[in-house]
Amino acid sequence: MEITFYKYQGTGNDFIMIDNRQETFSKNDTKLIAKLCDRRFGIGADGLILLENDAETDFKMVYYNSDGNQSSMCGNGGRCLVAFAKQLGVIENKTTFIATDGLHHATISENGIVSLQMKDVDAVKIEEDYIFLDTGSPHHVQLVEDLKNYPIKEKGAEIRYGNLYGQAGSNVNFVHQNDTDTFSVRTYERGVEDETLSCGTGVTAVAIAMKATGRTNSDTIKLNVEGGKLEVSFIEKDGKYTDVFLKGPATFVFEGTVAV
Ligand SMILES: N[C@@H](CCC[C@H](N)C(=O)O)C(=O)O
């Protein structure tokens, strides 16, 4: 059997997109999904995303990490899925879709910039040397001195598999402040078990964490990631974050078919 797939990337976080509105894809085949994401034996990607029909919204998002397991919300993947939905003709320039963490509203510009509304954040756990919050996926955030040379995979895995986060683990974001409203971020991603070039829920967590700890007074924050630039904006009132938007490019790379 052959399946048609579309490869997208959002600031270097890359995904296999599949139109599963006919529900023909083997959704529970963890080994197949991991093989499709494998960068030597498969197509290669940080994750795989299914676009499915939904009775109440434009479409449903189903997200898998490259380990083949279904996971929590993917911000860059959500942005790429909006662009994919437009390419398929499912939407024009705005949409509401459902994902594992609830409803998401989004717009896409003519030049492929997607602004995705993320879930509200009511709880930010501030510790002495790190911050933890959930932006649709769990994120550990900590500032480091020399981000450029920091051992991301080694230190990220220590935290991800350490005692802090138990069986579920967490994504881990290492941060450097560049100026009053700009930060550089490198992310170790749970379920990829390596550094990715960008993580959308991760930079959203960093932006909120930097506001919550007084590192910035801005409500629109620029994030430099290894694969490009993203922007996060929000409304903060009494430690609650609403109208949270993740904005940046979502790019179609190629279309193909693969034997499964
Ligand atoms: N790259 C994603 C995050 C995907 C989910 C994450 N790896 C997890 O399992 O929590 C993003 O852009 O948010």
Side-chain angles (χ1 to χ4, degrees):
M1 175 188 167
E2 276 197 347
I3 55 170
T4 299
F5 68 88
Y6 298 73
K7 189 76 190 299
Y8 271 80
Q9 62 86 9
T11 56
N13 203 189
D14 63 336
F15 309 98
I16 297 162
M17 299 289 184
I18 292 171
D19 177 359
N20 196 40
R21 287 177 288 176
Q22 303 308 313
E23 300 190 12
T24 55
F25 186 77
S26 306
K27 294 177 69 166
N28 300 316
D29 192 337
T30 304
K31 284 185 179 173
L32 168 64
I33 295 165
K35 183 179 177 187
L36 291 173
C37 290
D38 188 289
R39 295 195 184 281
R40 292 177 176 80
F41 295 101
I43 302 159
D46 291 330
L48 184 146
I49 303 177
L50 303 179
L51 185 150
E52 299 188 335
N53 284 324
D54 178 67
E56 275 85 46
T57 66
D58 292 331
F59 55 85
K60 178 182 179 182
M61 173 181 180
V62 182
Y63 178 78
Y64 301 82
N65 279 316
S66 58
D67 65 2
N69 294 310
Q70 195 167 334
S71 192
S72 43
M73 182 56 187
C74 176
N76 286 326
R79 295 190 306 98
C80 288
L81 192 59
V82 170
F84 180 43
K86 182 176 181 179
Q87 183 178 4
L88 292 177
V90 174
I91 65 167
E92 292 184 4
N93 294 319
K94 67 177 183 177
T95 182
T96 298
F97 66 91
I98 189 80
T100 183
D101 65 341
L103 287 179
H104 291 267
H105 307 291
T107 58
I108 179 168
S109 69
E110 287 311 312
N111 62 348
I113 301 296
V114 178
S115 181
L116 174 68
Q117 185 166 7
M118 305 296 283
K119 65 175 272 195
D120 293 348
V121 173
D122 295 337
V124 181
K125 183 186 175 196
I126 300 174
E127 297 292 342
E128 189 178 338
D129 55 2
Y130 72 90
I131 305 103
F132 177 80
L133 61 163
D134 188 307
T135 54
S137 285
H139 285 279
H140 174 107
V141 177
Q142 72 181 58
L143 288 147
V144 296
E145 284 302 316
D146 181 5
L147 183 62
K148 185 172 180 298
N149 298 304
Y150 200 75
I152 303 295
K153 185 166 183 178
E154 175 196 346
K155 296 297 184 183
E158 274 178 25
I159 296 166
R160 178 261 192 272
Y161 287 108
N163 297 330
L164 265 182
Y165 301 112
Q167 185 65 33
S170 175
N171 301 282
V172 185
N173 303 271
F174 300 105
V175 186
H176 171 78
Q177 181 159 10
N178 301 325
D179 63 34
T180 54
D181 64 355
T182 308
F183 298 84
S184 293
V185 184
R186 294 179 67 185
T187 303
Y188 175 95
E189 258 199 63
R190 174 184 72 167
V192 179
E193 306 311 341
D194 203 343
E195 179 179 7
T196 56
L197 298 183
S198 174
C199 181
T201 51
V203 297
T204 303
V206 168
I208 290 173
M210 295 300 103
K211 174 77 173 185
T213 53
R215 288 272 175 168
T216 182
N217 291 320
S218 180
D219 292 342
T220 299
I221 296 165
K222 302 176 190 70
L223 294 311
N224 299 327
V225 294
E226 295 295 286
K229 296 179 185 301
L230 291 164
E231 180 184 283
V232 172
S233 60
F234 47 72
I235 296 173
E236 183 274 332
K237 184 172 173 36
D238 303 329
K240 313 287 186 195
Y241 298 81
T242 60
D243 298 84
V244 183
F245 282 88
L246 170 67
K247 184 177 175 183
T251 306
F252 172 61
V253 183
F254 65 90
E255 175 184 345
T257 58
V258 60
V260 293

